[in-house]
Amino acid sequence: MGSGDLVLQYLRAPVPQYLRAPVPQYLRALVPPIFSVTMFLSRLLRSSGEAKSLFKGKVIHGKMIVSGILDDVYSSNHLISMYVKCACLESARLFFDQMPERNTVSWTILISAYSKMGQAEEALECLQSMMDAGYEPNEFTYASAISACTSIGSLRTGKEIHGRLYRFERYSTGYVSNSLISFYAKCRKITSARLVFNEIQDPGTVSWSSIVAGFCQCGEDKEALQTFVQSLKAGMEVNEFISATVLGACTSLRDVKIGMQLHCLFIKCGVASDPFVETGIIAFYVKCGNLTSAEQIFSELRRPGLTASAALIGGYAQGRHKRKAVKLFSDLHLAGTVPNEHTVSSVLPACQIEEGKQIHSFIIKLGFKLVAFVGNALLDLYAKSGFLTDSMKIYSEMQTPDLVTWNVLIAGHVQWGYYREAAELFRTMNLEGKSPNAYTYSSILNLCGDLPTIEWGKQTHCCTIKCYIASDIIVGSAIIDMYAKCGKLTDARKIFNSIPSKNVITWNSLLIGYAQHGFGKEALEIFNLMLVEGIKPNGITFIGVLSACGHAGLVEEGVSYFDLMSREHGIVPQIDHYSCMVDLYGRSGQVRRAYDFIEKMPIEPDKVIWRSFLAACRSRRELDLGKCAAQHILRIDPDDTSAYLMLWRLYSDAEMLDEMASVRKAVKERGFKKEPGSSWIEVQNRVHFFKSGDVSHRNRDIIYEIVDELTGQILEEAEGYVPAALLIQQEEQILE
């Protein structure tokens, strides 16, 4: 029988015997030399609380009731503390409200409990009641109250508490000061946090760690590193917490040199083997692009933890080593290591859809809850792969969807052209009280640009101004792209000029906007200005440049830029760049040169390139080359309806009736049907959708009457014009 059971057996004795009988021999080891019932029961309550044994605590509480000891505030405080440690806060508050006598410690225990258990409002209300009752808080009371302000971001209340401390010159100890530093840092008032730190006469390790972490939280990573150096000069002992913090600062700065020096320092100080520091070191090398060092450190770990594995897998997944990420995850599983939620969420971005489905099944089998970061990773996988129904199902199963969840859903629907559904998701998100951030507005602006709906775009732009994020690089680039796609290039240029800091995405948005609308010279001016400003172009930049040259008819300039891309900027041409060059030659009528270019391509041309070349052949009546292009398209995709239609038009222009009939016969045998074309227009802040031959609109009679009038005017004034309706009718005849 253990000592705890002996204590309970003794406590269950009748009250008179308990109060009068001497202490039994087997309990004397547990009782201090100077024995009193109050001290004895207080010690038992403390041990019950530390063991989180609510049952034993309640037994002692019952004995205290029948013994009449609860009038003693010392014992009552221990009883409150026991209930708090056993996570039974309601019982603690109920007993507190019934206490005949309280002191500062009683209030402090309750305030601290509310603060630690996430009930910050109750903690602050309790503090107010305490002061209204005439009790003076102590340093632990103030520290708990400040912690409550930190958790809910209540800057005003925290400042009031700080003002009271300053006014009465109380408790300038490190304990309270550290709480204030953490409070101001998390409220992004790092200047105030620094002032509090400077008032500490002899800052300890916790104080130094708090201010360094504060700088990191506020994005002042350079200041965090400088402060860390000052702490070393002041003789601060390096611990695991501050090591992981400064590694995070180096990771944000991508400063490899300083990070390697810190790595050496942590080895010398003996903290490099801490799991959190190990993970921080691997994450640092991964995000700095030094996967070789990350792999070496990982291989030297005696027992790699799941956090270190997740860091390396995440590095592989975000880079160009997605297969390595999947393999490392598979190796962990084969070695008998059960992955956790973080490991699973790290590998999902590297998975193809089928692999992702297997891991999804694995998640269900292991019984993982769909917490935010796991659910969001699954959502992103399904949404980017076009499985939007599955992504919505996962959303419905998630326990705590957050803002990232909504952003992934909205972006996925915009990506695949489900604009109505994306707009409905955005509306639902606002109704549920989720405030959009930069990524949300970026997706909505992309939606407005793709439709395009300029009025929605303007309203969204106004919302970003009200939220003070219009000058954000991500949002600003999306605003420029939206105005450019809507044809408002003057507005796009104004926004571009108003953004204080621009990156390559910002420049590309304006450049491509000019190129898409045929302003080739203006696009090239933007490109040259971009080089003058020291912005390094990427592959997308040169897609815009080559497209601009094609629209402006600048063939030789386009050839020069194509060579410049790889020679001076080290960008390997991709299929989109080759497609731009074929289009460049085709638009200028140099069909034979375009064909020679395709023949010399180091990569296999896709059907987009051949389709562009076929269109050029038709415009120049190059029958033989056009037939060759159509054959290549149908070899890649035998069911490409557009290839048959373009080939039929080519034969029609050449008045080759037999060949036209042959194409029509092939189409009929394959059973092709032309998908009706669709369009939309925005009128009075409402988007109207139309399809070819659509008669469902309530104003269809007025619409068709106006279309007929406009067509008649065009036929009278524009000689040689062939109405699109006639072309559509011809295509439908082919596909009948």
mmCIF file of all heavy atoms in Angstrom, residues 240 263 266-267 269-279 281 301-303:
data_model
loop_
_atom_site.group_PDB
_atom_site.id
_atom_site.type_symbol
_atom_site.label_atom_id
_atom_site.label_comp_id
_atom_site.label_asym_id
_atom_site.label_seq_id
_atom_site.Cartn_x
_atom_site.Cartn_y
_atom_site.Cartn_z
ATOM 1 N N GLU A 240 18.432 26.939 -25.208
ATOM 2 C CA GLU A 240 17.760 26.401 -26.382
ATOM 3 C C GLU A 240 16.745 27.386 -26.953
ATOM 4 O O GLU A 240 16.591 27.499 -28.178
ATOM 5 C CB GLU A 240 17.049 25.087 -26.028
ATOM 6 C CG GLU A 240 17.975 23.950 -25.646
ATOM 7 C CD GLU A 240 18.418 24.023 -24.186
ATOM 8 O OE1 GLU A 240 18.014 24.999 -23.494
ATOM 9 O OE2 GLU A 240 19.148 23.136 -23.736
ATOM 10 N N HIS A 263 25.582 28.437 -35.982
ATOM 11 C CA HIS A 263 25.616 26.984 -35.904
ATOM 12 C C HIS A 263 26.851 26.530 -35.122
ATOM 13 O O HIS A 263 26.764 25.671 -34.230
ATOM 14 C CB HIS A 263 25.613 26.398 -37.322
ATOM 15 C CG HIS A 263 25.506 24.912 -37.354
ATOM 16 N ND1 HIS A 263 25.619 24.177 -38.515
ATOM 17 C CD2 HIS A 263 25.315 23.999 -36.355
ATOM 18 C CE1 HIS A 263 25.488 22.895 -38.234
ATOM 19 N NE2 HIS A 263 25.306 22.760 -36.942
ATOM 20 N N PHE A 266 26.436 27.344 -31.368
ATOM 21 C CA PHE A 266 25.530 26.440 -30.660
ATOM 22 C C PHE A 266 26.197 25.093 -30.388
ATOM 23 O O PHE A 266 25.928 24.452 -29.364
ATOM 24 C CB PHE A 266 24.243 26.248 -31.459
ATOM 25 C CG PHE A 266 23.476 27.523 -31.682
ATOM 26 C CD1 PHE A 266 22.663 27.688 -32.796
ATOM 27 C CD2 PHE A 266 23.574 28.576 -30.781
ATOM 28 C CE1 PHE A 266 21.970 28.861 -33.001
ATOM 29 C CE2 PHE A 266 22.883 29.763 -30.981
ATOM 30 C CZ PHE A 266 22.083 29.906 -32.096
ATOM 31 N N ILE A 267 27.059 24.655 -31.290
ATOM 32 C CA ILE A 267 27.806 23.416 -31.049
ATOM 33 C C ILE A 267 28.740 23.594 -29.858
ATOM 34 O O ILE A 267 28.834 22.737 -28.970
ATOM 35 C CB ILE A 267 28.594 23.007 -32.310
ATOM 36 C CG1 ILE A 267 27.625 22.618 -33.435
ATOM 37 C CG2 ILE A 267 29.538 21.842 -32.003
ATOM 38 C CD1 ILE A 267 28.299 22.358 -34.761
ATOM 39 N N CYS A 269 28.418 25.696 -27.392
ATOM 40 C CA CYS A 269 27.645 25.881 -26.156
ATOM 41 C C CYS A 269 26.869 24.626 -25.753
ATOM 42 O O CYS A 269 26.228 24.610 -24.698
ATOM 43 C CB CYS A 269 26.676 27.053 -26.316
ATOM 44 S SG CYS A 269 27.490 28.647 -26.533
ATOM 45 N N GLY A 270 26.885 23.608 -26.598
ATOM 46 C CA GLY A 270 26.234 22.350 -26.251
ATOM 47 C C GLY A 270 24.731 22.333 -26.404
ATOM 48 O O GLY A 270 24.058 21.492 -25.798
ATOM 49 N N VAL A 271 24.183 23.258 -27.198
ATOM 50 C CA VAL A 271 22.726 23.288 -27.368
ATOM 51 C C VAL A 271 22.309 22.813 -28.761
ATOM 52 O O VAL A 271 21.106 22.742 -29.054
ATOM 53 C CB VAL A 271 22.163 24.706 -27.125
ATOM 54 C CG1 VAL A 271 22.419 25.148 -25.705
ATOM 55 C CG2 VAL A 271 22.745 25.704 -28.119
ATOM 56 N N ALA A 272 23.271 22.477 -29.614
ATOM 57 C CA ALA A 272 22.941 22.088 -30.986
ATOM 58 C C ALA A 272 22.201 20.765 -31.058
ATOM 59 O O ALA A 272 21.553 20.455 -32.061
ATOM 60 C CB ALA A 272 24.213 22.010 -31.834
ATOM 61 N N SER A 273 22.298 19.955 -29.991
ATOM 62 C CA SER A 273 21.627 18.655 -29.992
ATOM 63 C C SER A 273 20.193 18.733 -29.490
ATOM 64 O O SER A 273 19.496 17.712 -29.474
ATOM 65 C CB SER A 273 22.415 17.655 -29.132
ATOM 66 O OG SER A 273 22.527 18.130 -27.795
ATOM 67 N N ASP A 274 19.756 19.923 -29.069
ATOM 68 C CA ASP A 274 18.361 20.073 -28.648
ATOM 69 C C ASP A 274 17.449 19.890 -29.859
ATOM 70 O O ASP A 274 17.737 20.396 -30.948
ATOM 71 C CB ASP A 274 18.151 21.466 -28.046
ATOM 72 C CG ASP A 274 16.716 21.691 -27.613
ATOM 73 O OD1 ASP A 274 16.354 21.237 -26.532
ATOM 74 O OD2 ASP A 274 15.966 22.322 -28.389
ATOM 75 N N PRO A 275 16.339 19.150 -29.719
ATOM 76 C CA PRO A 275 15.469 18.882 -30.876
ATOM 77 C C PRO A 275 14.976 20.143 -31.577
ATOM 78 O O PRO A 275 14.918 20.193 -32.809
ATOM 79 C CB PRO A 275 14.298 18.096 -30.265
ATOM 80 C CG PRO A 275 14.872 17.461 -29.038
ATOM 81 C CD PRO A 275 15.896 18.419 -28.520
ATOM 82 N N PHE A 276 14.640 21.189 -30.795
ATOM 83 C CA PHE A 276 14.148 22.417 -31.413
ATOM 84 C C PHE A 276 15.261 23.135 -32.175
ATOM 85 O O PHE A 276 15.042 23.685 -33.256
ATOM 86 C CB PHE A 276 13.553 23.342 -30.353
ATOM 87 C CG PHE A 276 12.282 22.830 -29.756
ATOM 88 C CD1 PHE A 276 12.268 22.227 -28.514
ATOM 89 C CD2 PHE A 276 11.083 22.925 -30.449
ATOM 90 C CE1 PHE A 276 11.096 21.734 -27.971
ATOM 91 C CE2 PHE A 276 9.903 22.441 -29.913
ATOM 92 C CZ PHE A 276 9.907 21.849 -28.667
ATOM 93 N N VAL A 277 16.464 23.116 -31.613
ATOM 94 C CA VAL A 277 17.592 23.761 -32.288
ATOM 95 C C VAL A 277 17.977 22.976 -33.536
ATOM 96 O O VAL A 277 18.278 23.560 -34.587
ATOM 97 C CB VAL A 277 18.793 23.889 -31.323
ATOM 98 C CG1 VAL A 277 19.977 24.542 -32.024
ATOM 99 C CG2 VAL A 277 18.404 24.705 -30.091
ATOM 100 N N GLU A 278 17.964 21.647 -33.444
ATOM 101 C CA GLU A 278 18.251 20.813 -34.619
ATOM 102 C C GLU A 278 17.282 21.135 -35.759
ATOM 103 O O GLU A 278 17.692 21.316 -36.911
ATOM 104 C CB GLU A 278 18.134 19.338 -34.255
ATOM 105 C CG GLU A 278 19.265 18.812 -33.388
ATOM 106 C CD GLU A 278 19.029 17.371 -32.960
ATOM 107 O OE1 GLU A 278 17.910 16.863 -33.161
ATOM 108 O OE2 GLU A 278 19.970 16.762 -32.416
ATOM 109 N N THR A 279 16.024 21.225 -35.408
ATOM 110 C CA THR A 279 15.015 21.541 -36.427
ATOM 111 C C THR A 279 15.244 22.928 -37.002
ATOM 112 O O THR A 279 15.127 23.134 -38.214
ATOM 113 C CB THR A 279 13.607 21.454 -35.810
ATOM 114 O OG1 THR A 279 13.423 20.146 -35.254
ATOM 115 C CG2 THR A 279 12.543 21.720 -36.852
ATOM 116 N N ILE A 281 18.100 24.552 -37.243
ATOM 117 C CA ILE A 281 19.287 24.545 -38.103
ATOM 118 C C ILE A 281 18.947 23.956 -39.473
ATOM 119 O O ILE A 281 19.327 24.508 -40.519
ATOM 120 C CB ILE A 281 20.432 23.746 -37.438
ATOM 121 C CG1 ILE A 281 20.926 24.484 -36.187
ATOM 122 C CG2 ILE A 281 21.585 23.532 -38.410
ATOM 123 C CD1 ILE A 281 21.896 23.678 -35.340
ATOM 124 N N LEU A 301 22.290 13.120 -37.257
ATOM 125 C CA LEU A 301 21.467 13.027 -36.055
ATOM 126 C C LEU A 301 21.367 11.570 -35.614
ATOM 127 O O LEU A 301 21.145 10.667 -36.427
ATOM 128 C CB LEU A 301 20.062 13.583 -36.324
ATOM 129 C CG LEU A 301 19.963 15.059 -36.724
ATOM 130 C CD1 LEU A 301 18.516 15.436 -36.973
ATOM 131 C CD2 LEU A 301 20.571 15.955 -35.665
ATOM 132 N N ARG A 302 21.546 11.350 -34.322
ATOM 133 C CA ARG A 302 21.462 9.981 -33.804
ATOM 134 C C ARG A 302 20.057 9.424 -33.968
ATOM 135 O O ARG A 302 19.849 8.315 -34.469
ATOM 136 C CB ARG A 302 21.865 9.959 -32.330
ATOM 137 C CG ARG A 302 23.337 10.310 -32.093
ATOM 138 C CD ARG A 302 23.662 10.246 -30.605
ATOM 139 N NE ARG A 302 25.066 10.576 -30.361
ATOM 140 C CZ ARG A 302 25.606 10.630 -29.142
ATOM 141 N NH1 ARG A 302 24.851 10.361 -28.073
ATOM 142 N NH2 ARG A 302 26.882 10.940 -29.001
ATOM 143 N N ARG A 303 19.106 10.182 -33.516
ATOM 144 C CA ARG A 303 17.711 9.776 -33.633
ATOM 145 C C ARG A 303 16.903 10.948 -34.174
ATOM 146 O O ARG A 303 16.375 11.757 -33.413
ATOM 147 C CB ARG A 303 17.159 9.334 -32.275
ATOM 148 C CG ARG A 303 17.803 8.066 -31.720
ATOM 149 C CD ARG A 303 17.173 7.678 -30.392
ATOM 150 N NE ARG A 303 17.765 6.458 -29.860
ATOM 151 C CZ ARG A 303 17.428 5.925 -28.689
ATOM 152 N NH1 ARG A 303 16.493 6.516 -27.942
ATOM 153 N NH2 ARG A 303 18.013 4.815 -28.265
#
